[in-house]
Amino acid sequence: MFVHSKKGTRRLTATLLGGSLAAVLALTGCASGGSGGAATAPEVVGTQADIDAALQEDTTLTFWAWGPQYQAVVDAFMAEYPKVKVELTNNGSNQTEYTKLQNVIKAGSGIPDVAQIEYTALPQFAFGDSLVDMNEYGVSSMEDLYTTAAWSQVNVNGGIYGLPQDTGPLAMFYRQDVFDQFGLTVPTTWDEYRAQAEKLQAADPSRFMAADAGEAALTNAMIWQAGGQPYASDGTDVTVDLQDEGSLRYADMWTPLVQNGLVDQTPSFTPEWTSGLAAGKYATWLGGAWAAGTLQRRIPEATGTWRVAPLPQYKAGDTASGEQGGSSSAVLNASENALAAIGFVQWMSSSEEANQIWVDNGGFPSTTATLGSENWLNAEIPYFGGQQINQVFAESADGVLPGWEFLPFQAYADSVFSDTVGQAYASKGELAEGLKAWQENIVDYGNSQGFTVNK
Amino acid sequence: MTATTMSAPARTAPPARRRKNRRRWVGWWFLAPFLAVFVFALAAPVIYAIYLSFFQDRLVGGNTFAGFNNYVAAFQDPKFWSAFGRVAMFFFVQVPIMLGLSTFAALALDSARLRFRSLFRITLFLPYAVPSVVAALMWGFIYGTDFGLVGNLNSYFGLDLPDPLSSDLVLAAMGNIATWAFLGYNMLILYSALRTVPKELYEAADIDGAGTFQVIRAIKLPAMRSAFVVALIFSVIGAFQLFNEPNVLRTLAPNTIATNFTPNMYAFNLSFAGQQFNYAAAIAIVMGIITMIVAYVVQVVGVRKDDQ
């Protein structure tokens, strides 16, 4: 088994090598061609051959991440490339890592070679010129290995600042036992979702269709599914429109659920929330595919009660989806071993072996190879009553709407979500008003930071 | 005084002056360990914060000298002043309640009518030994309407207690935590002042036929006055720097506790979520100066009463 996957990896590296060389040639050809192409073609700093050579030299890479899967992936990498030593530092959580990363970048020392960075935060670090644009090393040839949504999220202003590790296509997790007990049907549209919510609340006022205290990550994902594209940036020109058609469509759909108390305002990942999930207080949980792993880890006692269904739609028969969460592996500009670091990231992100370890440990893949593999698709997960949940996720990944972007200062924007949209939740008011207040806050901040926002 | 009279004749004798200079130098060496710690641990951070507050480091455009812009912005920032108003209200409501209870507890301890006095003392003081983050977490569990003690009370007794973390009650809920944590500490400060009252005063009061409440009013309360001022100054600082309680409870009630709930939280969020270190430094310094002024006023007023 081990030998087999090793061969697979070699083959993959070979394809990568060939593909990227072709791409580099194509790009240089375009540049020497003269006219306007030179402006868009990235400067070539290194080739795949340089990267492969660097992986055969004695190197030590430092790697910051918080995902529980990384240690196993790193160990496998070091077995494959014994000359490269990877020192993994687990910073506990995304926020702690970003704060630390900001601090070391500001200080100019102690910067790791590679870091796990979520898609939401990638533009911020890319914009600060802290990350290597891997386009300069010909990684654009890897595009076809990933889902469109994943690839578009590592692409910031035409540069490739990370390689996708996992994605979080949205799905609806629901309690089969609660649905059975109260005679609920699995909703396929948001209208049906609300009708089921009302039915549940009427039958038992202590139960809710979902828990939602108003959280930036989920709201962004839901706006994404509704077809909104509230954020756009081109260099320092930023547009924020949280009143666009999709944003308002989401706000109009979700407001009645909040106003009528059909969703419980308990913040996620608190003890109250966990006990509510375990007790069947919440009939559904709308979340990224990673939630499957979270449920299994957090409430193992609920085995057999949860199922997964596609996210309800605005129009019956649609398959629109969005993403919540998901992260990439990025190489820091300060790295003195950029070539080996990129090689490590390529292997971790795209090799069959790494992806196998990733999914075996409850991670959700971003490569089309893994997403399309029969083994993975047909896996029957006992926790979910033997349901083939990956098929639902793969379908959702297919339906993720294109064109979504995050702000180059999303971390700040998310931090003031509760001050603005959260107030609409607290007062059971109109979410659209909350989104407006959020937008004003974001625009003020962006302009005060030197961006040109909505001007 | 003796030092000046002794060094006076030395002025006329040049060789002696050199000796005096050397003596002064030696003094600085003795001070050096303290000075080093003082400069690096106390003065340098404050000076650095002041330095930071005069710049503006933006995501676009980099670091520029900003003069007093950050301070002007702070004085015009409604988010900062609403945070300030909140801690001021906290101070005016929570501190009198806490110090009133502390005074009562100190008088009770001192009354000699209390059984198990040391047990009583240690029990009241114990919450102070609980780290404030742990205390806030613990109270967060107690306040939970589903999972916590409030929820249990509701379900066992069929009550419908209001949610302590709702926007109307959340400040009172924090006041309760602070009172719980610092009551015993302030009680000890006041009690130690009572212990210094000479026995003769009580004997004299006895001879004069004073009752318990007369003794409290005429002897004990005046004796506690300077200790009371100290406790009040600590409380001013504690209230204005409120941070751990709201920051921990925020994870449970993100919509009722805004990121600018208190000035310290506002500065924290500005620097770590918004990377506005410069503006956060200005906010911190403005808040520090206000706290110093209030503490100074408390002291001046307290001391003046002492003199009367």
Side-chain angles (χ1 to χ4, degrees):
Chain A
M1 188 61 209
F2 182 76
V3 177
H4 173 79
S5 57
K6 203 167 174 174
K7 265 185 199 156
T9 318
R10 289 235 178 88
R11 208 181 314 126
L12 182 91
T13 319
T15 357
L16 281 178
L17 179 67
S20 59
L21 277 178
V24 167
L25 287 176
L27 287 168
T28 38
C30 178
S32 56
S35 62
T40 50
E43 187 190 343
V44 178
V45 178
T47 63
Q48 192 65 41
D50 297 337
I51 294 171
D52 291 340
L55 288 177
Q56 301 306 329
E57 284 167 27
D58 284 317
T59 320
T60 302
L61 297 174
T62 49
F63 176 33
W64 287 8
W66 65 88
Q69 297 89 0
Y70 283 99
Q71 188 60 56
V73 176
V74 164
D75 291 343
F77 173 80
M78 290 194 288
E80 181 89 26
Y81 296 96
K83 294 218 162 175
V84 183
K85 189 170 180 292
V86 181
E87 290 172 353
L88 173 68
T89 306
N90 189 329
N91 284 303
S93 77
N94 48 359
Q95 280 314 321
T96 12
E97 185 183 298
Y98 298 152
T99 307
K100 273 190 163 180
L101 212 49
Q102 279 166 9
N103 289 344
V104 292
I105 288 169
K106 214 171 166 64
S109 68
I111 305 173
D113 295 296
V114 180
Q116 177 189 6
I117 297 178
E118 286 163 298
Y119 302 127
T120 51
L122 203 61
Q124 183 156 342
F125 286 103
F127 192 83
D129 211 17
S130 313
L131 306 179
V132 170
D133 177 2
M134 292 193 231
N135 250 346
E136 295 172 354
Y137 295 84
V139 299
S140 54
S141 61
M142 295 174 74
E143 176 168 0
D144 293 342
L145 298 174
Y146 303 98
T147 64
T148 323
W151 189 256
S152 75
Q153 290 190 85
V154 293
N155 187 322
V156 181
N157 281 323
I160 300 297
Y161 289 95
L163 290 181
Q165 195 63 48
D166 66 337
T167 55
L170 286 171
M172 183 182 81
F173 297 80
Y174 66 98
R175 287 283 294 238
Q176 185 66 56
D177 53 338
V178 176
F179 270 56
D180 286 346
Q181 190 185 340
F182 295 95
L184 307 181
T185 53
V186 178
T188 57
T189 66
W190 288 117
D191 286 338
E192 284 174 29
Y193 185 83
R194 190 172 140 197
Q196 301 306 310
E198 281 161 356
K199 191 173 171 185
L200 175 66
Q201 177 89 123
D204 183 351
S206 73
R207 290 183 200 260
F208 301 87
M209 198 58 175
D212 177 32
E215 276 151 35
L218 182 62
T219 303
N220 279 331
M222 294 286 280
I223 288 175
W224 187 341
Q225 192 236 355
Q229 291 183 3
Y231 317 117
S233 61
D234 181 12
T236 59
D237 284 326
V238 178
T239 319
V240 182
D241 185 6
L242 283 158
Q243 302 286 303
D244 73 354
E245 205 187 326
S247 305
L248 290 181
R249 182 192 281 179
Y250 159 70
D252 290 344
M253 181 277 288
W254 202 249
T255 294
L257 288 154
V258 174
Q259 282 185 335
N260 302 328
L262 301 175
V263 292
D264 180 43
Q265 295 192 22
T266 297
S268 56
F269 295 93
T270 57
E272 300 243 17
W273 175 80
T274 310
S275 71
L277 281 183
K281 182 179 173 184
Y282 313 124
T284 70
W285 178 18
L286 308 170
W290 45 263
T294 307
L295 284 173
Q296 294 177 58
R297 273 194 304 273
R298 285 211 160 213
I299 39 170
E301 69 271 23
T303 299
T305 59
W306 287 92
R307 297 288 183 278
V308 187
L311 207 62
Q313 298 292 321
Y314 289 89
K315 218 176 95 205
D318 277 2
T319 55
S321 189
E323 294 211 2
Q324 183 193 11
S327 48
S328 64
S329 307
V331 176
L332 279 292
N333 247 344
S335 170
E336 285 170 5
N337 307 305
L339 286 168
I342 292 170
F344 166 57
V345 167
Q346 282 180 331
W347 185 88
M348 187 160 61
S349 164
S350 64
S351 77
E352 194 185 323
E353 189 180 357
N355 273 284
Q356 192 58 47
I357 297 170
W358 187 256
V359 296
D360 284 349
N361 286 281
F364 191 82
S366 57
T367 58
T368 46
T370 314
L371 281 164
S373 86
E374 292 295 316
N375 260 347
W376 181 78
L377 275 175
N378 296 331
E380 293 173 356
I381 312 296
Y383 185 88
F384 294 92
Q387 190 189 355
Q388 295 172 332
I389 59 169
N390 290 335
Q391 297 197 346
V392 181
F393 299 143
E395 197 184 304
S396 171
D398 269 349
V400 172
L401 297 177
W404 179 272
E405 276 184 58
F406 285 108
L407 288 168
F409 44 87
Q410 195 70 40
Y412 173 82
D414 289 357
S415 80
V416 293
F417 180 88
S418 59
D419 297 353
T420 50
V421 186
Q423 298 313 303
Y425 272 82
S427 65
K428 298 198 170 176
E430 291 285 338
L431 293 191
E433 292 301 310
L435 288 173
K436 199 185 260 176
W438 191 26
Q439 175 172 335
E440 280 163 17
N441 210 319
I442 293 171
V443 170
D444 283 351
Y445 175 82
N447 283 324
S448 78
Q449 286 294 312
F451 291 91
T452 311
V453 189
N454 289 4
K455 280 183 192 162
Chain B
M1 275 322 250
T2 21
T4 38
T5 39
M6 273 178 71
S7 61
R11 245 174 234 155
T12 50
R17 186 195 281 164
R18 203 180 297 140
R19 234 177 65 210
K20 193 190 76 178
N21 283 350
R22 213 173 71 206
R23 205 186 293 150
R24 210 186 268 159
W25 240 88
V26 168
W28 281 105
W29 278 110
F30 279 108
L31 263 178
F34 162 76
L35 269 183
V37 174
F38 178 79
V39 167
F40 286 106
L42 290 167
V46 175
I47 292 167
Y48 183 60
I50 292 172
Y51 165 80
L52 274 183
S53 71
F54 286 109
F55 287 84
Q56 190 181 24
D57 190 359
R58 307 199 294 181
L59 293 171
V60 182
N63 203 3
T64 47
F65 182 72
F68 282 93
N69 283 355
N70 287 325
Y71 289 95
V72 173
F75 277 103
Q76 294 169 343
D77 186 348
K79 286 184 191 165
F80 171 62
W81 291 109
S82 80
F84 176 77
R86 201 169 287 115
V87 289
M89 191 163 90
F90 182 86
F91 170 72
F92 281 115
V93 177
Q94 186 263 337
V95 171
I97 293 174
M98 175 179 67
L99 291 184
L101 289 172
S102 297
T103 310
F104 179 78
L107 288 171
L109 267 189
D110 194 53
S111 70
R113 293 173 189 216
L114 208 62
R115 281 195 189 189
F116 309 117
R117 195 167 62 179
S118 53
L119 180 77
F120 183 71
R121 196 172 55 197
I122 194 75
T123 313
L124 279 182
F125 184 71
L126 211 55
Y128 181 69
V130 178
S132 62
V133 171
V134 176
L137 277 173
M138 194 183 77
W139 278 97
F141 292 134
I142 292 175
Y143 287 152
T145 47
D146 287 315
F147 180 78
L149 184 65
V150 170
N152 291 343
L153 288 175
N154 279 345
S155 63
Y156 288 142
F157 299 106
L159 300 171
D160 191 19
L161 296 174
D163 179 6
L165 297 178
S166 64
S167 54
D168 295 337
L169 292 177
V170 70
L171 197 61
M174 285 174 205
N176 182 44
I177 301 176
T179 306
W180 173 83
F182 293 102
L183 193 152
Y185 174 74
N186 288 311
M187 174 196 76
L188 272 199
I189 295 179
L190 298 173
Y191 177 62
S192 60
L194 282 179
R195 300 295 285 172
T196 62
V197 176
K199 276 208 176 77
E200 291 80 3
L201 273 179
Y202 294 130
E203 283 166 9
D206 254 359
I207 292 165
D208 288 347
T212 311
F213 288 98
Q214 275 172 309
V215 169
I216 288 175
R217 213 181 52 222
I219 301 176
K220 292 190 174 183
L221 286 181
M224 282 157 78
R225 192 169 276 153
S226 60
F228 198 82
V229 171
V230 171
L232 196 56
I233 289 172
F234 285 151
S235 303
V236 168
I237 297 169
F240 283 179
Q241 295 197 343
L242 196 63
F243 178 75
N244 281 335
E245 288 84 359
N247 206 43
V248 169
L249 292 179
R250 200 180 128 68
T251 52
L252 302 175
N255 296 337
T256 48
I257 302 172
T259 53
N260 63 326
F261 194 79
T262 73
N264 267 4
M265 274 183 74
Y266 187 42
F268 180 81
N269 195 56
L270 282 174
S271 46
F272 292 112
Q275 291 182 272
Q276 293 162 296
F277 299 99
N278 307 100
Y279 186 47
I283 295 269
I285 284 160
V286 169
M287 203 53 214
I289 290 171
I290 293 175
T291 311
M292 271 161 55
I293 292 171
V294 175
Y296 183 72
V297 168
V298 166
Q299 194 184 10
V300 167
V301 172
V303 168
R304 192 185 297 150
K305 274 187 185 156
D306 241 8
D307 291 343
Q308 281 170 355

